[in-house]
Amino acid sequence: MSDSPASILLIDDHPLLRQGIKQLIEMEEDMLVAGEASNAADGIRLAQELEPDLILMDLNMPEMNGIEALKKLREESVSSRIVMFTVSDHEDDVVAALRAGADGYLLKDMEPEDMIQQLHQAAVGKMVIGDRLTTLLAQALRSQKPQQASRPDFDSLTPREKDILRLIAEGLSNKMIGRKLDISDGTVKVHVKHLLKKLSLRSRVEVAVWAVEEGLHKG
């Protein structure tokens, strides 16, 4: 891992909250706040300018909400890890954020030390989801499954796709998977796209939750 601290961009319309998070992050040697924005439009502009390692973004903001901003960031090919940070533990919000390309979803009522721990995880490329949200997500996926004619079929995957699926289930990013398997990010992306299609799942988070439920992440 590089010795330079992970750069973080904060996007939230509450100055007090940004200040609090900034103070927490500044106490950590391996993380720094590279920039902050009070609305989504400024946040998107800064994300493109700064190319931070991690973006911590509020879900409920005036004018453009976090989900819309997240979609725009992904459309603009911003490769930063994006973690939604919100008061909402509503199932639809969690699922919508993860389907739009979020790398994590944390709740604002979490303990400061837990949040810092999760940010450390996110900064090194791990997927982060608040504890009680994992259960919620698994239930949401389960309740959506009946209308699917076919269950995800692990055996339909190639050996390489199976390797990648297990690493996604461990919460690894494309970059980390590529490093581990000695292939490029682009190649990993193509494999992920294929395995999502084969399994009829819509996001890597669904893949991770499904793999953990099926016990496939244990190899």
Side-chain angles (χ1 to χ4, degrees), residues 102-118:
D103 297 295
Y105 196 104
L106 300 174
L107 295 174
K108 288 183 177 178
D109 64 0
M110 66 195 301
E111 293 295 330
E113 55 272 25
D114 291 342
M115 195 192 102
I116 285 295
Q117 199 182 344
Q118 295 279 32

Side-chain angles (χ1 to χ4, degrees), residues 55-213:
I55 297 171
L56 191 62
M57 180 160 63
D58 187 16
L59 186 70
N60 303 305
M61 290 183 285
E63 289 165 34
M64 189 195 302
N65 69 32
I67 304 279
E68 289 166 42
L70 175 59
K71 286 177 181 166
K72 278 201 163 37
L73 286 165
R74 290 305 185 214
E75 278 163 21
E76 300 289 344
S77 299
V78 169
S79 61
S80 313
R81 311 281 293 161
I82 303 174
V83 173
M84 306 309 288
F85 187 52
T86 175
V87 290
S88 170
D89 61 356
H90 197 277
E91 181 187 298
D92 293 347
D93 286 337
V94 185
V95 173
L98 298 170
R99 285 199 171 142
D103 297 295
Y105 196 104
L106 300 174
L107 295 174
K108 288 183 177 178
D109 64 0
M110 66 195 301
E111 293 295 330
E113 55 272 25
D114 291 342
M115 195 192 102
I116 285 295
Q117 199 182 344
Q118 295 279 32
L119 288 183
H120 278 292
Q121 294 288 311
V124 297
K126 292 262 181 158
M127 192 158 53
V128 292
I129 297 180
D131 287 347
R132 72 174 191 264
L133 296 175
T134 312
T135 318
L136 189 110
L137 198 60
Q139 285 166 350
L141 286 179
R142 222 174 287 134
S143 64
Q144 284 163 20
K145 284 295 168 289
Q147 68 260 27
Q148 248 180 248
S150 57
R151 280 184 79 251
D153 181 12
F154 181 65
D155 296 327
S156 68
L157 303 181
T158 65
R160 180 40 58 94
E161 286 165 353
K162 287 177 182 176
D163 290 341
I164 289 172
L165 178 134
R166 290 188 181 105
L167 294 172
I168 290 174
E170 285 174 29
L172 269 62
S173 64
N174 285 353
K175 198 176 277 183
M176 288 175 79
I177 292 172
R179 217 175 284 164
K180 205 155 189 173
L181 299 178
D182 205 19
I183 54 178
S184 73
D185 295 8
T187 307
V188 175
K189 225 176 245 178
V190 172
H191 283 306
V192 171
K193 201 170 155 187
H194 287 165
L195 71 86
L196 283 174
K197 200 172 176 185
K198 284 183 184 178
L199 297 172
S200 309
L201 295 171
R202 284 191 259 182
S203 73
R204 56 193 299 126
V205 180
E206 290 190 8
V207 169
V209 172
W210 174 73
V212 169
E213 283 208 297

